[in-house]
Amino acid sequence: MKFTSTSEPISHDMIRQMMMRAATVAAKALTDTEQAPEGRLSTLMESHGEVLAARGPGQPLPFESFLAMLTGYLARLLPDGVSPEEMTGVHLINDDGLFEEDLFDLDQEQREVARAVQKATRDGRSTSLAEIEQEMDQVTVNSGLRKRGTQDAYAKGRSDLSRLPAGTETEVRRLNMPSVVGQFYRPINYAALYEQWWFACPVCRWPMKITRHRSRKSVTGRVRCFYRPHAELMGASYTFKIPDAGKPPALIPGSPPPAPTGAASVLAHDLRGSVPQPLPAAGHLALARGPWRYTTVPGLLEIALYDALISRGFAVAPEPHMSRAALGAGADCPGTVTVWPYLDAYDLHVDVWQLGDERESFLLDIKDFTSEKLLAKKIQADGGDDAAEWIIVPDYRETSLPLLRGVCEEFGLKVTTAGEIGQKICRTAGIRWA
């Protein structure tokens, strides 16, 4: 999507979105040594023009200054008077001179907010909303799965995308995805390749990023998941010595991060003793980045919470509000759990059975935004949540709870972490969580 100047005043949200898009493309081009120099220069010049359009005629920015700013804080590119908000403290290029991968998340999340605002303020689909959705592959994926029409088919498709974001061509073909979804399984991206080899993240199974780092004495390799929490908080980060020509690298795990405790420990990944093995790029496919980041990654938590409740005795229900008698469940069954009910109206529905026909229900929507500020804006733009009663964030985003609770209170929504909601549900049912 390309932003152009307009005679109408531009909102600060739109200016930040314009700046994020242009700066992300520019930073990627500046650090992309695989691209031809003339192609990189053309991209940088076009991005510079988009930045100038966002800044307005009263705040020029020479091309040389623009290039220099790409290595600093993203917010420095904003025109005077525009608050940085979600761009505060964000770098375009990291200390190793590489593109900062979190920018992809912020760009996608800004578009989620823009999409929600458009839906809230326009009757029907506007052209700008259509443009936003066309660039959001995960929207296309979810729509394609819904077109199958049945709850079972939708749930299987969502589960498959989370459990197999990368695999052999045969494995992907056996998923029997609709063609509009299957098109997003593509050859392994060059950023995840060492010669002809790639490594799957032990948490999400998507190809990990591979980089080389040169010192005065040697060159070493690094492999880490593109998703920062998997790399930094769960241990999906490795190094390797440069192997002989034609041979794959052997990964060396780093020091394990501290293990979560309490309620958060139930859904935590234990990667100790697990080292990814090299896989050939030939014959393998992986999801495009959008569906992986916003379907696979949150889907893993949705499935983990679902599985954890089932392992504690909850019965699988094809739809919410089913009785013990309808399911033929025993007296020791505490309740039911349904994943992605009503074709993903929300993520999990849990019924805890009580005396007689009484039940306490938990309607959960799991959100995993890199920017808590953008998630808060999206909730405001959506006017809360049409179906869910709880907003659930991963345990590693616990620090976002104060901001989100302040926003969600206005709409009668409750907010907590995945581990805490698991514990609350189990306490209600009179069983142990952790």
Side-chain angles (χ1 to χ4, degrees), residues 75-280:
R76 292 171 57 200
L77 290 168
L78 290 169
D80 295 341
V82 176
S83 171
E85 298 199 12
E86 68 272 9
M87 293 165 65
T88 301
V90 175
H91 277 86
L92 297 163
I93 297 170
N94 64 25
D95 293 339
D96 293 320
L98 301 172
F99 175 71
E100 181 52 72
E101 296 296 338
D102 282 353
L103 285 176
F104 176 88
D105 294 0
L106 296 178
D107 175 37
Q108 293 286 307
E109 289 162 15
Q110 280 185 329
R111 282 187 274 165
E112 284 272 9
V113 173
R115 181 169 168 260
V117 169
Q118 289 284 348
K119 283 185 173 180
T121 57
R122 302 286 184 95
D123 292 327
R125 286 179 54 90
S126 68
T127 301
S128 55
L129 173 57
E131 291 172 352
I132 291 168
E133 289 195 340
Q134 285 168 7
E135 294 195 358
M136 296 176 64
D137 293 345
Q138 65 272 23
V139 173
T140 304
V141 166
N142 288 344
S143 297
L145 292 177
R146 287 192 185 96
K147 287 180 180 178
R148 287 193 160 179
T150 69
Q151 178 64 31
D152 286 347
Y154 180 84
K156 180 184 181 302
R158 278 293 305 272
S159 178
D160 287 343
L161 290 173
S162 290
R163 298 183 191 274
L164 192 75
T168 66
E169 293 175 351
T170 299
E171 289 172 329
V172 171
R173 185 168 58 251
R174 285 174 178 167
L175 297 179
N176 194 29
M177 290 286 181
S179 59
V180 71
V181 178
Q183 67 175 319
F184 292 109
Y185 279 96
R186 297 165 182 171
I188 308 300
N189 188 283
Y190 76 90
L193 291 176
Y194 181 88
E195 296 182 354
Q196 74 267 34
W197 307 99
W198 66 281
F199 296 88
C201 171
V203 179
C204 65
R205 298 188 64 186
W206 206 59
M208 293 189 284
K209 184 175 185 177
I210 300 178
T211 56
R212 302 189 200 194
H213 301 264
R214 186 180 301 276
S215 67
R216 289 184 178 182
K217 296 183 179 180
S218 64
V219 178
T220 58
R222 293 183 192 171
V223 178
R224 55 183 278 150
C225 184
F226 281 88
Y227 186 52
R228 186 187 296 273
H230 291 177
E232 297 183 359
L233 303 179
M234 302 180 195
S237 180
Y238 308 86
T239 58
F240 63 86
K241 296 179 181 179
I242 301 302
D244 294 337
K247 293 186 177 180
L251 301 191
I252 304 168
S255 300
T261 59
S265 66
V266 174
L267 303 175
H269 292 266
D270 184 0
L271 303 187
R272 289 174 297 181
S274 172
V275 179
Q277 298 301 303
L279 296 166

Side-chain angles (χ1 to χ4, degrees), residues 151 155 302-303 306 317-318 337-342 344 346-349:
Q151 178 64 31
E302 293 156 7
I303 291 171
Y306 174 77
V337 57
T338 306
V339 65
W340 305 305
Y342 310 119
D344 204 16
Y346 47 103
D347 293 323
L348 287 173
H349 183 107

